[in-house]
């Protein structure tokens, strides 16, 4: 685990050129051990400056500096002792403007002699990323669940602020924040316990409470803004004492339905409300004509919790007639593979469908074997399914509005804290190396005691008035 590793932390500042310069150094002939790891990543053109630290207790380097080179620009960042290599936003913008490839060489003094690691590159993509990321911050365990909040962070700098915390809601729980077409002015979320209900903001600062069944969860906005697909779940959880997956969340029953915001009614079909199946995780296609969802044969719960396997399914939807098609199509048949699908998400350009695949169940967040899989969005079967990152653990994912970036919630680092990784996916489905959302100092992810839950991109800052809750 990362917290057991001795880090040499390099709090950076830029010194005058006459004091700080590139040194003649002996090559160590090894890659620089970085956290977070930004070596050979592809970054959005508008991302905030990445900070990183050197994990090198073996070499015990002193007077460490990083040499950034891009086109005709060379910027050297020196070290102090706490926060890592921190290049200023102004200098970062100079490097990004100079070239689409930034080369970084880390040098350090050891026993009076300068040495350096192999240079690495940070590549800059012309594809921008949505400027705001919204997420819930919560402890990874449930003992202190009453200390949480939904926050927003500028991806272009390090500014973070709370949208709503449970200090404002008499310690009630909040979850399932969701946006329509990445619009920060059109959102909804749930409150539980105190002030329980589903709250929505639709172009106005003030929230309004929807009159819906209390158990509607896992929302997905229709592109028209008129409909929201939900599942209605009777959910419970249990805590393992010996299983490597610490927490298991399961449904005693679940159905899928669509809420019509204008008519204030629910649109249902028996095909999504079977007594012999669990239906959950609805998600619209890019054109809004298809609703993806997950379906499993019902079993005895909780006795057979590890025998629940969710298939990936779809059903047509006519927004004008406000009705579903008369049949369900099975895209990935979990009964044949003995695996389980959760969180299907279609890219806004309609090219790709990504979902989480785990061994069983529907709550993949704590499953160590969970991986992201991708198929063409128009696929009728999962024969073309590919693993996005075979060696990378991820349990939740959300597309950027231009379909070129995806944020993934992952416990890849230490198995305990969920952190936001970002990855580039091109039009052909080629995936780049994932990287952590940059913070103002490299030690941030080692110090914070919160997990990032349900990261979602928006095209701007959320403004909400909480009067009346």
């Amino acid at each position: 685990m990362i917290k057991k590793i001795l880090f040499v932390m390099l709090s950076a500042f830029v010194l005058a050129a006459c004091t700080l310069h590139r040194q003649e150094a002996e090559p160590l002939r090894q890659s620089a051990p970085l956290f977070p790891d930004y070596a050979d990543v592809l970054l959005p053109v508008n991302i905030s400056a990445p900070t990183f630290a050197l994990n090198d207790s073996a070499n015990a380097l002193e007077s460490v500096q990083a040499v950034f080179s891009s086109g005709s620009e060379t910027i050297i960042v020196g070290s102090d002792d706490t926060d890592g290599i921190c290049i200023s936003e102004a200098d970062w913008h100079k490097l990004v403007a100079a070239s689409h490839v930034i080369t970084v060489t880390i040098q350090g003094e050891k026993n009076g002699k300068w040495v350096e690691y192999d240079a690495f590159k940070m590549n800059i993509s012309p594809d921008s990323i949505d400027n705001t990321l919204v997420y819930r911050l919560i402890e990874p365990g449930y003992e202190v669940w009453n200390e949480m909040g939904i926050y927003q962070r500028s991806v272009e700098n390090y500014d973070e602020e709370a949208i709503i915390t449970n200090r404002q809601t008499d310690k009630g729980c909040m979850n399932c924040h969701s946006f329509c077409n990445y619009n920060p002015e059109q959102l909804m979320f749930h409150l539980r316990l105190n002030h329980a209900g589903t709250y929505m903001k639709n172009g106005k600062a003030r929230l309004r409470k929807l009159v819906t069944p209390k158990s509607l969860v896992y929302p997905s906005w229709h592109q028209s803004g008129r409909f929201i697909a939900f599942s209605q779940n009777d959910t419970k959880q249990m805590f393992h004492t010996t299983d490597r997956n610490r927490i298991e969340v399961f449904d005693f029953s679940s159905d899928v339905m669509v809420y019509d915001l204008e008519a204030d009614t629910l649109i249902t079909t028996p095909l999504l409300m079977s007594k012999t199946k669990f239906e959950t995780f609805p998600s619209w296609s890019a054109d809004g004509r298809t609703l993806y969802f997950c379906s499993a044969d019902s079993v005895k719960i909780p006795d057979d919790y590890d025998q629940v396997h969710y298939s990936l399914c779809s059903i047509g939807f006519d927004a004008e007639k406000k009705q579903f098609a008369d049949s369900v199509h099975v895209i990935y048949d979990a009964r044949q593979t003995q695996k389980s699908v959760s969180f299907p998400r279609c890219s806004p350009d309609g090219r790709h469908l990504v979902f989480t695949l785990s061994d069983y169940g529907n709550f993949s967040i704590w499953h160590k074997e969970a991986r992201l899989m991708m198929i063409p969005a128009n696929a009728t079967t999962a024969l073309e399914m590919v693993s996005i990152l075979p060696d990378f653990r991820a349990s939740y994912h959300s597309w950027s509005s231009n379909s070129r970036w995806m944020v993934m919630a992952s416990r890849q680092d230490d198995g305990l804290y969920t952190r936001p990784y970002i990855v580039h996916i091109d039009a052909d489905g080629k995936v780049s190396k994932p990287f952590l959302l940059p913070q103002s100092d490299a030690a941030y992810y080692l110090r914070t005691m919160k997990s990032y839950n349900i990261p979602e991109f928006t095209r701007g800052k959320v403004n909400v008035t909480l009067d009346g809750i």
Side-chain angles (χ1 to χ4, degrees):
M1 293 174 61
I2 287 178
K3 290 189 176 181
K4 293 182 180 179
I5 299 174
L6 177 61
F7 273 81
V8 178
M9 304 308 296
L10 313 170
S11 177
F13 56 91
V14 179
L15 300 180
C18 61
T19 304
L20 196 61
H21 60 277
R22 183 162 191 159
Q23 302 287 338
E24 291 292 331
E26 177 184 340
L28 287 171
R29 303 195 184 283
Q30 65 185 73
S31 300
L34 306 176
F35 183 80
D37 182 6
Y38 291 108
D40 304 315
V41 296
L42 184 63
L43 301 171
V45 66
N46 60 327
I47 196 74
S48 56
T51 63
F52 50 87
L54 188 64
N55 167 26
D56 191 12
S57 56
N59 282 317
L61 299 183
E62 303 172 353
S63 303
V64 178
Q65 64 183 28
V67 182
F68 294 82
S69 301
S70 176
S72 60
E73 291 283 351
T74 297
I75 295 171
I76 303 177
V77 177
S79 69
D80 191 358
D81 58 3
T82 54
D83 291 338
I85 293 292
C86 302
I87 187 169
S88 72
E89 286 291 314
D91 284 337
W92 175 251
H93 292 319
K94 290 179 183 178
L95 294 169
V96 171
S99 172
H100 66 277
V101 177
I102 300 172
T103 301
V104 185
T105 304
I106 295 181
Q107 300 182 316
E109 194 173 6
K110 181 179 181 180
N111 299 326
K113 181 173 65 175
W114 281 86
V115 295
E116 67 181 27
Y117 292 94
D118 296 344
F120 64 89
K121 299 182 186 302
M122 292 188 287
N123 303 291
I124 307 300
S125 170
D127 296 325
S128 61
I129 197 168
D130 297 300
N131 60 15
T132 304
L133 187 66
V134 177
Y135 41 81
R136 183 173 67 162
L137 290 179
I138 184 173
E139 277 79 2
Y142 288 80
E143 297 85 354
V144 286
W145 61 268
N146 59 341
E147 294 292 337
M148 69 172 71
I150 300 176
Y151 291 78
Q152 59 185 337
R153 156 72 195 275
S154 171
V155 176
E156 298 177 336
N157 55 51
Y158 310 118
D159 293 344
E160 180 186 73
E161 63 180 278
I163 296 174
I164 179 173
T165 72
N166 56 8
R167 294 180 182 178
Q168 300 165 282
T169 62
D170 300 325
K171 299 298 183 179
C173 177
M174 61 201 62
N175 59 11
C176 288
H177 55 272
S178 179
F179 299 87
C180 180
N181 298 325
Y182 304 87
N183 183 359
E185 298 300 315
Q186 201 166 8
L187 75 130
M188 59 138 295
F189 60 87
H190 298 307
L191 291 181
R192 303 197 182 281
L193 296 180
N194 299 317
H195 312 285
T198 298
Y199 291 82
M200 189 185 78
K201 175 179 183 289
N202 193 1
K204 299 180 180 180
R206 189 177 300 275
L207 294 167
R208 71 181 178 98
K209 186 176 181 180
L210 301 182
V211 182
T212 64
K214 292 182 179 180
S215 57
L216 293 184
V217 293
Y218 305 130
S220 177
W221 286 78
H222 191 268
Q223 286 70 6
S224 67
R226 176 168 179 171
F227 309 103
I228 305 177
F230 291 98
S231 61
Q232 187 174 31
N233 303 56
D234 180 10
T235 302
K236 298 292 186 294
Q237 67 180 0
M238 66 180 181
F239 298 84
H240 294 296
T241 56
T242 58
D243 196 291
R244 65 174 188 158
N245 298 322
R246 301 173 184 231
I247 300 172
E248 197 64 48
V249 178
F250 46 80
D251 292 329
F252 283 93
S253 64
S254 58
D255 300 306
V256 168
M257 57 200 68
V258 170
Y259 181 65
D260 184 337
L261 292 168
E262 293 184 10
D264 197 20
T265 58
L266 289 173
I267 304 170
T268 62
T269 173
L271 295 173
L272 300 180
M273 304 181 72
S274 171
K275 292 183 179 180
T276 62
K277 291 185 180 296
F278 302 144
E279 299 99 350
T280 190
F281 296 133
S283 183
W284 294 105
S285 62
D287 59 12
R289 297 177 182 176
T290 301
L291 184 67
Y292 299 102
F293 64 99
C294 299
S295 176
D297 295 330
S298 59
V299 299
K300 188 177 181 180
I301 297 294
D303 297 30
D304 298 326
Y305 73 92
D306 58 353
Q307 300 303 308
V308 180
H309 299 99
Y310 284 82
S311 297
L312 174 62
C313 304
S314 67
I315 187 171
F317 181 77
D318 190 321
E320 291 186 2
K321 296 181 180 180
K322 297 189 293 185
Q323 65 183 30
F324 290 101
D326 57 6
S327 63
V328 168
H329 179 67
V330 179
I331 301 172
Y332 178 92
D333 192 344
R335 290 174 294 185
Q336 296 180 6
T337 63
Q338 295 299 291
K339 296 292 185 179
S340 195
V341 174
S342 56
F343 301 119
R345 295 288 185 271
C346 184
S347 60
D349 63 7
R351 287 176 176 263
H352 309 295
L353 182 72
V354 174
F355 55 88
T356 306
L357 191 67
S358 53
D359 286 347
Y360 59 85
N362 75 340
F363 201 75
S364 54
I365 291 175
W366 279 101
H367 278 233
K368 293 182 180 297
E369 80 283 357
R371 298 294 187 271
L372 296 185
M373 313 301 291
M374 181 164 58
I375 61 174
N378 60 359
T380 57
T381 69
L383 293 178
E384 298 180 61
M385 180 177 70
V386 296
S387 178
I388 286 186
L389 298 160
D391 299 323
F392 188 84
R393 295 166 48 192
S395 56
Y396 184 87
H397 51 285
S398 177
W399 291 92
S400 65
S401 63
N402 63 2
S403 302
R404 295 286 72 85
W405 302 96
M406 179 178 288
V407 60
M408 305 174 296
S410 174
R411 287 188 168 93
Q412 177 79 5
D413 298 322
D414 59 14
L416 182 61
Y417 291 94
T418 306
R419 292 166 178 151
Y421 275 85
I422 298 173
V423 67
H424 184 268
I425 302 178
D426 69 16
D428 296 323
K430 183 179 178 181
V431 181
S432 67
K433 178 180 174 179
F435 63 90
L436 272 170
L437 173 70
Q439 301 290 348
S440 59
D441 68 86
Y444 173 86
Y445 289 110
L446 303 181
R447 290 198 304 258
T448 184
M449 303 296 287
K450 303 280 189 179
S451 280
Y452 284 72
N453 181 248
I454 316 181
E456 297 280 343
F457 287 112
T458 68
R459 291 188 177 122
K461 182 179 176 180
V462 178
N463 294 294
V464 171
T465 298
L466 300 179
D467 297 342
I469 289 185

